[in-house]
Amino acid sequence: MNDLKLIKKYYGEETMHYCRDNFATILEEPGKLISILERTFAHDKYLIQCLNHEEDEFKSFIYEQASCKKMELVSSPKNPFELMDEAGYTLYECKCEEDIQVFKKYYAKGEELCTFRGGRLDSCYVFFAVKKNVKEIKRFDKPRREDEYGTSVISIQFSRGSVNIVSMKNRYNHTVNNPDATFSNNLENIIPGLTKSFEKYLNLKVIRNSDFDFDEFVLAKDNRFYRYNCEIDNIYYCPNNIIIDNYRVKEYSKNNVIIMDYYILDTEKKTLTTYGGLSDSFPASIGKIDTVRVEIDKTTHTKKVIINE
């Protein structure tokens, strides 16, 4: 089966048309384009439609992958604290919950990081970087993710484990697009040498797919991007029965489970629960489940789940 047929099968017809129109050179080599897509994006029938007008970034990203060009990381003899000092920040390492809570004062009401809810140190190494002139920097009327206020306080976090994903969280938090990917989650965009410096300081292996980030997509530990419907406490709820927890991919059987945001409906056991025991009164309001029926609307590409008729 040729590339375009496989792209249509796994990423949808519109993505196939886009690839045919934009990646003719890559398509000259059989198997190359589908290989790039499959190693960098989870299967998603609506991939190109969900890139939120980021087609140019997507195009650049694919060509970068095709050319196998990777940005060479700079080595520096300085530790992260010294490099961040050069960049105009004071860097703090959080070793306990009390260390984290100190930085809550920098966030406006309603924009506090979910990190402040506790337990983040169990899954991540947590740092905060504060601009030395933070008191002089005022909030912008029209926030932009990388404006001076948004980047005046950054939480830099690395997932724990054998591979480590970096997430840089913005001071505006959910007021701007993709606040958990400030500076495209590329430490080199703060100051050259910072990636290797952190790796040496924490004995990490930071994985990064590229300099690009895409709204409503999360980079998981398998080094692929997944589209997500919602994010709660650093857990990403995705289409196709997938949940990304601490950047690990959890995929549920489509034979008997339906994931609807953070609700998990088991059609065999006839149970409706929330992932991780999230507090929610909706499952209790449903009561005992006797029957579950799924109707598929092929025109709107939606499913209707009918419980107890």
Side-chain angles (χ1 to χ4, degrees):
M1 192 178 293
N2 67 31
D3 281 35
L4 289 175
K5 287 183 178 178
L6 287 170
I7 292 168
K8 180 180 179 180
K9 178 180 178 180
Y10 296 128
Y11 298 99
E13 187 169 0
E14 287 196 37
T15 304
M16 182 269 288
H17 287 303
Y18 181 89
C19 290
R20 184 186 60 194
D21 294 341
N22 290 276
F23 303 126
T25 303
I26 303 174
L27 285 166
E28 287 288 302
E29 186 177 329
K32 187 169 186 176
L33 183 56
I34 185 62
S35 174
I36 292 169
L37 287 172
E38 289 204 288
R39 75 168 182 258
T40 53
F41 286 92
H43 290 171
D44 188 333
K45 289 289 184 70
Y46 304 99
L47 176 63
I48 200 68
Q49 297 98 306
C50 296
L51 283 170
N52 295 329
H53 309 293
E54 295 175 299
E55 290 91 345
D56 288 343
E57 289 85 350
F58 176 71
K59 189 189 302 184
S60 298
F61 173 79
I62 295 299
Y63 273 113
E64 179 198 70
Q65 298 296 315
S67 66
C68 297
K69 289 182 179 178
K70 295 290 182 182
M71 186 181 73
E72 291 295 326
L73 296 177
V74 176
S75 293
S76 171
K78 298 178 180 178
N79 65 41
F81 301 91
E82 294 168 326
L83 286 173
M84 290 299 286
D85 180 71
E86 286 185 14
Y89 288 91
T90 301
L91 182 66
Y92 302 89
E93 182 176 4
C94 297
K95 296 187 176 181
C96 64
E97 192 61 41
E98 289 74 17
D99 291 345
I100 291 176
Q101 296 304 322
V102 167
F103 298 93
K104 191 173 181 179
K105 64 185 179 183
Y106 291 109
Y107 292 81
K109 187 176 180 180
E111 291 183 356
E112 300 94 339
L113 302 180
C114 56
T115 302
F116 296 127
R117 297 175 189 171
R120 183 55 55 85
L121 286 168
D122 295 338
S123 58
C124 294
Y125 302 95
V126 178
F127 293 78
F128 277 87
V130 181
K131 275 281 189 176
K132 296 175 184 178
N133 63 336
V134 66
K135 292 182 180 179
E136 302 168 13
I137 300 172
K138 304 302 179 185
R139 183 187 175 89
F140 285 70
D141 293 332
K142 295 181 179 179
R144 290 179 295 106
R145 192 178 67 182
E146 269 84 29
D147 70 27
E148 192 177 11
Y149 179 89
T151 58
S152 59
V153 180
I154 307 169
S155 181
I156 303 174
Q157 302 184 17
F158 303 89
S159 63
R160 295 180 186 270
S162 57
V163 293
N164 314 99
I165 293 176
V166 60
S167 175
M168 291 194 275
K169 303 179 185 300
N170 198 281
R171 189 178 183 184
Y172 287 120
N173 201 12
H174 294 295
T175 303
V176 295
N177 285 332
N178 220 7
D180 292 340
T182 299
F183 291 125
S184 298
N185 282 336
N186 183 354
L187 294 164
E188 304 301 294
N189 286 337
I190 298 179
I191 187 169
L194 191 57
T195 305
K196 283 188 171 293
S197 182
F198 264 116
E199 286 185 332
K200 183 177 179 181
Y201 177 74
L202 292 172
N203 191 26
L204 301 180
K205 178 57 180 175
V206 177
I207 67 168
R208 47 187 294 277
N209 210 316
S210 80
D211 297 330
F212 300 102
D213 65 271
F214 303 100
D215 289 349
E216 297 174 17
F217 283 77
V218 59
L219 178 63
K221 281 195 172 183
D222 63 1
N223 219 11
R224 294 200 298 171
F225 288 101
Y226 289 77
R227 177 165 59 92
Y228 63 90
N229 296 320
C230 69
E231 174 268 327
I232 301 173
D233 290 349
N234 225 38
I235 298 171
Y236 298 83
Y237 299 90
C238 309
N240 299 318
N241 269 17
I242 291 172
I243 295 174
I244 310 293
D245 189 343
N246 193 26
Y247 300 105
R248 290 185 175 89
V249 180
K250 295 185 176 182
E251 190 166 1
Y252 291 77
S253 170
K254 294 179 182 178
N255 294 328
N256 64 299
V257 175
I258 300 173
I259 305 290
M260 301 173 288
D261 287 349
Y262 57 83
Y263 297 110
I264 301 176
L265 176 63
D266 190 314
T267 58
E268 279 186 4
K269 296 179 180 178
K270 294 185 172 59
T271 58
L272 180 66
T273 57
T274 58
Y275 180 77
L278 277 171
S279 178
D280 192 301
S281 61
F282 179 63
S285 72
I286 294 293
K288 183 176 182 293
I289 297 175
D290 295 314
T291 60
V292 177
R293 181 161 53 87
V294 179
E295 293 181 356
I296 298 175
D297 188 324
K298 293 183 179 180
T299 303
T300 60
H301 305 290
T302 58
K303 292 181 181 178
K304 181 188 288 185
V305 180
I306 301 165
I307 297 174
N308 296 343
E309 299 302 322

